[in-house]
């Protein structure tokens, strides 16, 4: 089969086992239950630049009235007519919000005005869990790696969630396949200094664990390379020659007794070459038909939508037949109209940006989730898919300066889990109304561990985390149980 091409004369499956394999702990008894997957696949939507909680997923309308803080930091009413549908505005006076759930302090939290696309999808809201997050990194360059990996910049074990997923499921796959188990989709216009490529980091994993990088800005180049134009007409001979060279190199890597030596770099080269030979299968998976830019309207103005394009590609990768479907896709959203500072980094004109871009990104996400009874095989089902809306941090509770924007705020952010193990609306954590600091929250490491656990990936083995990364956990079983119950909200079966 074209999807299973291997280098002639080289057992790619054997190489994969040597390079990707790792010692597994026994999954008997309580550990097996703690590692039982609660989702088949996961889509992570990373709101690059910083997601403001106060006008989206942690809105307490009475806070900040008359003080110019929280929801009332700006004249929200000035943007309602242009950006919110009339049927929502006609349901009441004032700023439209939607009651959601009580937080850990007992405060009733609403969904803010810029989440309005979700309000018409009660099936989605019924499966939503909002987690307060907190860390200590103010710059994007350090906050983004921490948020995407659970590890601080510079730590050798810093790896994106995609690398752990790719390694785990590749080890379970018989042989190599061209289709990725994990992928990262990005607009490709993000500044390199913000370190978004941390999403592709492999840490202590082998290089073959790197997820597929779908850079929408350079996609034509990728599709052109997959056609292998340099070897057109002589590909079988080219592949056979490389296979011979690999075999000769392997024959030389033996000890004095003639036993083969393990060489990770050689293994990685062989795997990369095997995947290159399978490029036609990847070309079929990434059809050019997927990548047109849709025309949309937001706040009464026309735009071409990279978020809609990215959402469509993410759903496509996750909903393929089992032998080629991805298990985890990270969609890095740089907004319908990126700010001057990049993505959703709204140091300037936060109200104008949030009112246009937050609803559009949420609408793009909803466009690839099946509504009740829809049954589109190319869309996601909440029963077997965990969706995570994440960001590197929140935004400040009051205007930063005369630019009418909001500053970075790692002291209180939000992550939203939808579907998968989540069966009821909930707010996990709380925010002090005076300081705007989260008084109860989860850490970036705890979130990353929980995402892996939801897919049945042991974060204490493949993820490179330890029980000490979960606060208060006395041992590994306690750590896994806490992540499962408190972060994922998974209900134990009777």
């Amino acid at each position: 089969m074209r999807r299973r091409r291997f280098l002639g004369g080289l057992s790619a499956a054997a190489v994969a086992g040597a390079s990707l394999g790792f010692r597994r702990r026994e999954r008997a008894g309580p550990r097996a239950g703690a590692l039982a997957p609660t989702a088949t696949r996961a889509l992570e939507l990373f709101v690059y630049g910083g997601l403001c909680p106060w006008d989206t997923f942690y809105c307490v309308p009475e806070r900040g009235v008359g003080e110019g803080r929280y929801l009332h930091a700006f004249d929200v009413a000035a943007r309602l007519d242009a950006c919110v549908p009339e049927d929502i505005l006609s349901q009441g006076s004032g700023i439209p919000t939607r009651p959601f759930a009580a937080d850990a302090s007992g405060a009733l939290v609403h969904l803010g005005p810029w989440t309005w696309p979700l309000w018409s999808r009660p099936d989605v809201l019924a499966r939503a869990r909002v987690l307060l997050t907190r860390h200590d990194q103010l710059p994007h360059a350090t906050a983004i790696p921490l948020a995407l990996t659970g590890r601080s910049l510079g730590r050798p074990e810093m790896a994106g969630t995609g690398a752990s997923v790719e390694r785990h499921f590749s080890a379970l796959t018989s042989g190599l396949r061209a289709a990725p188990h994990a992928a990262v989709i990005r607009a490709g216009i993000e500044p390199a200094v913000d370190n978004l490529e941390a999403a592709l980091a492999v840490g202590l994993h082998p290089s073959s664990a790197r997820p597929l990088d779908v850079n929408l800005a350079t996609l034509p180049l990728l599709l052109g390379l997959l056609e292998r134009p340099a070897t057109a007409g002589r590909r079988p001979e080219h592949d056979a020659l490389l296979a011979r060279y690999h075999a000769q190199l392997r024959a030389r890597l033996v000890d004095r007794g003639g036993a083969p030596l393990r060489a990770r770099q050689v293994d990685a080269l062989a795997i990369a070459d095997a995947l290159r030979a399978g490029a036609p299968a990847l070309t079929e998976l990434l059809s050019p038909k997927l990548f047109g830019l849709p025309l949309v309207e937001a706040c009464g103005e026309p735009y071409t939508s990279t978020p809609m394009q990215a959402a469509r590609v993410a759903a496509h990768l996750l909903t393929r037949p089992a032998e080629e479907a991805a298990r985890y896709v990270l969609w890095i959203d740089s907004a319908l109209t990126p700010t001057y500072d990049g993505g959703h980094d709204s140091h300037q004109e936060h109200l104008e940006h949030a009112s246009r871009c937050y609803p559009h990104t949420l609408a793009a996400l909803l466009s690839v989730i099946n509504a009740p009874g829809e049954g589109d095989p190319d869309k996601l089902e909440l029963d077997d898919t965990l969706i995570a809306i994440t960001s590197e941090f929140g935004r400040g509770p009051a205007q930063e300066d005369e630019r009418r924007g909001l500053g970075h705020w790692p002291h209180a952010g939000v992550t939203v889990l939808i579907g998968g193990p989540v069966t009821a609306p909930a707010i996990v954590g709380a925010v002090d109304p005076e300081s705007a600091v989260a008084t109860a929250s989860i850490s970036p490491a705890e979130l990353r561990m929980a995402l892996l656990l939801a897919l049945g990936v042991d974060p204490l083995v493949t993820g490179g985390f330890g029980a000490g990364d979960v606060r208060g956990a006395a041992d590994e079983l306690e750590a896994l149980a806490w992540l499962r119950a408190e972060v994922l909200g998974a209900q134990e079966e009777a």
Side-chain angles (χ1 to χ4, degrees), residues 392-472:
E392 64 262 45
F393 39 51
R395 310 299 302 190
Q399 289 192 35
E400 185 177 32
D401 51 36
E402 70 280 356
R403 295 177 296 171
R404 298 183 295 277
L406 299 177
H408 301 179
W409 198 254
H411 317 294
V414 289
T415 285
V416 186
L417 303 182
I418 301 171
V422 180
T423 58
I427 301 283
V428 179
V431 173
D432 176 65
E434 296 301 320
S435 65
V437 172
T439 55
S441 61
I442 66 165
S443 70
E446 289 166 343
L447 174 62
R448 291 294 134 190
M449 295 172 76
L451 293 180
L452 291 172
L453 187 60
L455 294 172
V457 180
D458 191 340
L460 304 176
V461 178
T462 314
F465 296 99
D469 290 305
V470 176
R471 69 199 72 187

Side-chain angles (χ1 to χ4, degrees), residues 17-57:
S19 182
L20 291 174
F22 52 90
R23 296 181 64 183
R24 296 181 179 274
R25 304 182 189 183
E26 293 298 323
R27 294 190 173 193
R31 192 175 185 85
L35 294 172
T38 55
T40 303
R41 59 191 61 84
L43 168 61
E44 179 179 355
L45 163 57
F46 186 80
V47 182
Y48 158 57
L51 173 61
C52 178
W54 327 121
D55 51 13
T56 58
F57 294 101

Side-chain angles (χ1 to χ4, degrees), residues 191-449:
V193 293
D194 282 347
N195 287 327
L196 278 161
E197 288 208 358
L200 299 165
V202 298
L204 300 179
H205 297 305
S207 59
S208 50
R210 181 181 169 97
L212 176 68
D213 180 16
V214 183
N215 184 330
L216 298 176
T218 60
L219 196 63
L221 174 62
L222 171 61
L223 295 177
L225 290 173
L226 288 176
E227 294 177 359
R228 300 179 61 190
T231 58
R234 298 188 63 83
R235 286 173 193 160
E237 295 84 353
H238 176 270
D239 294 344
L241 183 60
L242 283 179
R244 182 178 177 182
Y245 288 152
H246 281 298
Q248 289 175 346
L249 178 59
R250 283 279 173 193
R252 295 169 56 188
L253 295 175
V254 296
D255 62 19
R256 292 182 179 179
L261 294 174
R262 185 173 180 180
R264 291 185 61 182
Q265 289 82 357
V266 176
D267 292 344
L269 176 62
I271 291 173
D273 202 50
L275 292 173
R276 177 199 51 76
L282 197 55
T283 301
E284 293 175 12
L285 183 67
L286 297 176
S287 168
K289 297 178 182 178
L290 281 173
F291 298 103
L293 274 173
L295 288 172
V296 300
E297 182 178 292
C299 297
E301 298 291 333
Y303 301 94
T304 55
S305 174
T306 299
M308 284 287 185
Q309 180 189 47
R312 183 172 60 216
V313 176
H316 174 79
L317 293 175
L318 289 165
T319 58
R320 293 309 85 205
E323 67 273 10
E324 61 181 27
R327 294 301 189 103
Y328 167 83
V329 171
L330 170 62
W331 157 22
I332 297 176
D333 179 51
S334 292
L336 175 66
T337 55
T339 68
Y340 175 82
D341 296 288
H344 296 272
D345 192 16
S346 54
H347 291 284
Q348 302 182 45
E349 302 295 346
H350 171 83
L351 177 62
E352 180 179 341
H353 174 83
S355 59
R356 176 175 58 246
C357 295
Y358 288 165
H360 180 74
T361 291
L362 292 175
L365 175 63
L366 291 174
S367 73
V368 297
I369 301 174
N370 270 322
E374 186 174 4
D376 187 335
D378 294 324
K379 292 187 179 183
L380 304 172
E381 291 284 353
L382 294 182
D383 285 341
D384 61 13
T385 305
L386 175 62
I387 295 169
I389 302 175
T390 63
S391 188
E392 64 262 45
F393 39 51
R395 310 299 302 190
Q399 289 192 35
E400 185 177 32
D401 51 36
E402 70 280 356
R403 295 177 296 171
R404 298 183 295 277
L406 299 177
H408 301 179
W409 198 254
H411 317 294
V414 289
T415 285
V416 186
L417 303 182
I418 301 171
V422 180
T423 58
I427 301 283
V428 179
V431 173
D432 176 65
E434 296 301 320
S435 65
V437 172
T439 55
S441 61
I442 66 165
S443 70
E446 289 166 343
L447 174 62
R448 291 294 134 190
M449 295 172 76

Side-chain angles (χ1 to χ4, degrees), residues 49-225:
L51 173 61
C52 178
W54 327 121
D55 51 13
T56 58
F57 294 101
Y58 190 88
C59 175
V60 183
E62 63 270 20
R63 290 183 184 173
V65 175
E67 301 174 352
R69 303 178 76 215
Y70 298 117
L71 180 62
H72 309 285
F74 303 95
D75 181 15
V76 173
R79 293 288 288 177
L80 295 178
D81 288 343
C83 300
V84 179
E86 176 59 33
D87 61 329
I88 292 177
L89 295 178
S90 64
Q91 294 176 15
S93 59
I95 300 174
T97 62
R98 180 65 59 92
F100 181 68
D103 69 7
S105 70
L108 178 60
V109 176
H110 289 224
L111 298 176
W114 313 133
T115 65
W116 61 261
L118 291 169
W119 303 357
S120 63
R121 291 292 300 270
D123 59 309
V124 173
L125 294 181
R127 303 286 300 276
R129 185 176 181 85
V130 177
L131 310 169
L132 272 300
T133 59
R134 180 181 174 181
H135 59 76
D136 60 359
Q137 296 300 310
L138 276 167
H140 295 287
T142 55
I144 287 174
L146 178 61
L148 287 173
T149 71
R151 295 300 190 196
S152 300
L153 187 65
R155 294 272 294 266
E157 72 273 30
M158 187 186 78
T161 300
S164 296
V165 172
E166 185 67 48
R167 179 174 184 177
H168 174 85
F169 287 103
S170 292
L172 299 178
T173 303
S174 177
L176 288 174
R177 67 176 203 172
H181 296 285
V184 175
I185 301 170
R186 52 186 176 135
I189 58 174
E190 307 85 1
V193 293
D194 282 347
N195 287 327
L196 278 161
E197 288 208 358
L200 299 165
V202 298
L204 300 179
H205 297 305
S207 59
S208 50
R210 181 181 169 97
L212 176 68
D213 180 16
V214 183
N215 184 330
L216 298 176
T218 60
L219 196 63
L221 174 62
L222 171 61
L223 295 177
L225 290 173

